[in-house]
Amino acid sequence: MNVVIVGAGPAGLAAAEHALRAGARVTVLDQAETPGGQYHRMLPEVYAARRPDRIQHGRAEFDRRRRVLAHPRCRWWPGSTVWAFDRAEKRVHVLRGPSDGSGRRRLTLVPDALILATGAHDRTLPFPGWELPGVYTAGAAQALAKGERVAIGGRVLVAGAGPFLLPVAESLLGVGAEVVAVLEANPASTVRKGWSSRPWRLAAHAGKAGELVRYAATLARHRVPYLMGRAVIEARGADRVREVVTAKLRADWSVVPGTERTYEVDAVCVGHGFSPQPELAVAAGCVLDDGFVRVDTVQQTTVDGVFAAGEITGIGGAITAAAEGAVAGRAAAGGTPDAALLRARDRARTFAERLAVAHPIGPAWRSWLREDTIVCRCEETTYGELTRATEDESCPGPHALKLGTRAGLGPCQGRICGPTVAELCGGAERHHRPIVQPIRLGELAARIEGEPE
Amino acid sequence: MSGWLLPRDRDPVGRTDRPIRITVDGEPVTGIEGQSVAGMLLAAGRTSWRTTRSGAPRGVFCGIGACFDCLLTVNDVPDVRACRRPAADGDEVRTQSREETA
Ligand SMILES: Cc1cc2nc3c(=O)[nH]c(=O)nc-3n(C[C@H](O)[C@H](O)[C@H](O)COP(=O)(O)OP(=O)(O)OC[C@H]3O[C@@H](n4cnc5c(N)ncnc54)[C@H](O)[C@@H]3O)c2cc1C
Ligand code: FES
């Protein structure tokens, strides 16, 4: 069996390990230069860090996990972007070389089984001023601090929903930024309800609980307030963010009038959970539910021979991603995942369900929007334009809506605004992008090379 | 104040810095090998380097290649995501505009 795995995050690496154990030949590729994905983010090798463990939690586990890439039956391709999947011939199209370069090598692979482990990116709900320079996703702050040691600003506010805000704040403190506050939009009652019903089911994630306690201690040591039921509802500044307005929220995320507070900042980072990156799964013809790739008990998608694992099947953190990857790897290699692997995966999924209940997105977030608030960052489509187009009976349907307002038609192809536009306009999100990742015309015209040995 | 690169002597990871230099619209910007073009620009105090259709400034937003807000031109190749491109010594970077002239 030849198994190709797209993505070398926790899901992809676990998949490789278990596919190898089941006897397959494995190719792992990732567009990044280093393995690890978003969770095990590595410093550039040229930094020659002597103590990388000081910022990379679970470093020992990662070192063990990445060793699979050196296995004799494993081929590791860093700097390799899968830009298309040919459904009829089951052909994986790859570009190797510097990101967005012009002279990358074009190659194709025809695997017996394909495992998609392409992960997710931050979801950020729009608010007035979120397009100003100096407003970042929480993940951007994390990627720059942890992956390069760059601080996005001197005085930073961290806001949004979910436990991910805590490691982000920790990383910012670690590169010398002042974190003025961390705001969780959900009130304490919502968070408590999600996490503490049937707490014994969390026993498997005792490690996670310890991690949270450590973050809390770090915030306390730096006197960073952690406030629940509060959110950023506006960013202000002419050329870049200078101040942010926060407000107290009710459980449905409607603003409690008169509770506004202004912070002077030079950066703000906001994350409201994550959006999956299912483009390749869509290209392969896999069915999605609510944006996530549908999988069966052994992580097979609705397409024979195509498996999916990690955040593209549901948001549940690195442990869940790895547990799913293990099952997918075994099954894709033609093996039968044993009961222990399946049990570990199911337990991890319970954690994911809890996460979703404890940190939901409240429907009344729309009340932050104004007529002129930008929703699609690329095409600068405003909330007003979108609502007018939705009410216009001469152009019904999501397609006409897109053409009429250009929402989702810019360079990012709706990756950022897609879920928001779908929610605001009551339509399903359209993930179909014929080209998964951008390719230059010159590269497209180049002769395709077959699979190299 | 704006962004910065944590100085080596204050960084507990114990790194080795190899200085590099790029130009941005002809102006020199210094950084260290391994940084992304976006990281170098942020650390040099720039928060934006692209303008949208309406002329509004943009820089980094997602930091991992999903939003395409950070596009710029590297060595005459346009539309390179600054957050995904490792900077190389001597790179000539130019800012970009999608501004529509009415
Ligand atoms: C910016 C960011 C930072 C995060 N930081 C943390 C953190 O510090 N702590 C935490 O608990 N959780 C963090 N998360 C959550 C994290 O995504 C998950 O918990 C975990 O990493 C998911 O694992 P995964 O294997 O599903 O996906 P990922 O780890 O995201 O791995 C997916 C991999 O697929 C590759 N890929 C995607 N598309 C292609 C393609 N077309 N061609 C080639 N390669 C491709 C990507 O480069 C990536 O390496 C972060 C998420 C984001 C978006
Ligand atoms: S910052 Fe989003 S693509 Fe670079």
Side-chain angles (χ1 to χ4, degrees), chain A residues 6-12 29-32 34 36-41 80-83 117-122 137-140 142-143 146 164 167-168 171 208 211 215 274 277 280 309-312 316-319 321-322 436-437, chain B residues 62 64 84:
Chain A
V6 187
L29 39 84
D30 198 301
Q31 58 193 3
T34 46
Q38 302 301 348
Y39 184 73
H40 297 294
R41 188 178 297 283
S80 303
T81 299
V82 177
W83 64 275
T118 49
H121 59 77
D122 287 82
T137 68
Q142 175 75 336
K146 219 170 139 188
F164 177 51
V168 171
S171 296
K208 272 279 167 221
E211 214 177 299
Y215 294 138
F274 297 96
Q277 308 197 104
L280 276 172
E311 310 260 84
I312 52 166
I319 297 175
V436 172
Q437 285 283 326
Chain B
C62 75
I64 60 161
R84 294 204 42 84

Side-chain angles (χ1 to χ4, degrees), chain A residues 31-33 38 41 43-44 46-52 54-55 81 98-102 120-122 124 130-137 139-141 143-144 147-155 174-178 238-240 266 277 374 376-380 406 409-412 415-416 437-438 440, chain B residues 1-8 10-18 32-72 74-86 96 98 100:
Chain A
Q31 58 193 3
E33 298 299 328
Q38 302 301 348
R41 188 178 297 283
L43 287 169
V46 289
Y47 278 23
R50 276 178 288 110
R51 297 287 315 273
R54 294 295 290 274
I55 57 162
T81 299
S99 305
D100 301 341
S102 56
H121 59 77
D122 287 82
T124 304
W130 76 308
E131 72 283 3
L132 284 172
V135 177
Y136 302 90
T137 68
L144 285 153
E148 284 186 44
R149 311 305 280 152
V150 167
I152 51 165
R155 269 176 68 80
V175 285
E178 179 193 350
D239 52 339
R240 51 167 298 173
D266 50 26
Q277 308 197 104
I374 285 175
C376 165
R377 299 172 65 88
C378 297
E379 296 299 315
E380 301 178 300
R406 296 202 51 81
L409 294 180
C412 95
R415 283 178 175 84
I416 303 297
Q437 285 283 326
R440 294 184 185 277
Chain B
M1 200 166 10
S2 253
W4 62 68
L5 173 70
L6 181 68
R8 194 186 65 82
R10 279 175 43 207
D11 195 337
V13 303
R15 49 172 224 257
T16 308
D17 287 1
R18 295 165 207 269
I32 61 171
E33 208 181 324
Q35 277 190 283
S36 64
V37 173
M40 271 184 77
L41 294 181
L42 287 171
R46 295 186 72 135
T47 47
S48 61
W49 48 81
R50 190 176 79 89
T51 52
T52 60
R53 291 155 68 95
S54 75
R58 292 289 169 80
V60 167
F61 179 60
C62 75
I64 60 161
C67 75
F68 293 69
D69 257 350
C70 66
L71 298 181
L72 37 65
V74 180
N75 304 328
D76 291 327
V77 178
D79 300 334
V80 174
R81 284 168 286 180
C83 68
R84 294 204 42 84
R85 172 61 79 90
Q96 275 186 205
R98 262 188 98 199
E100 281 170 353

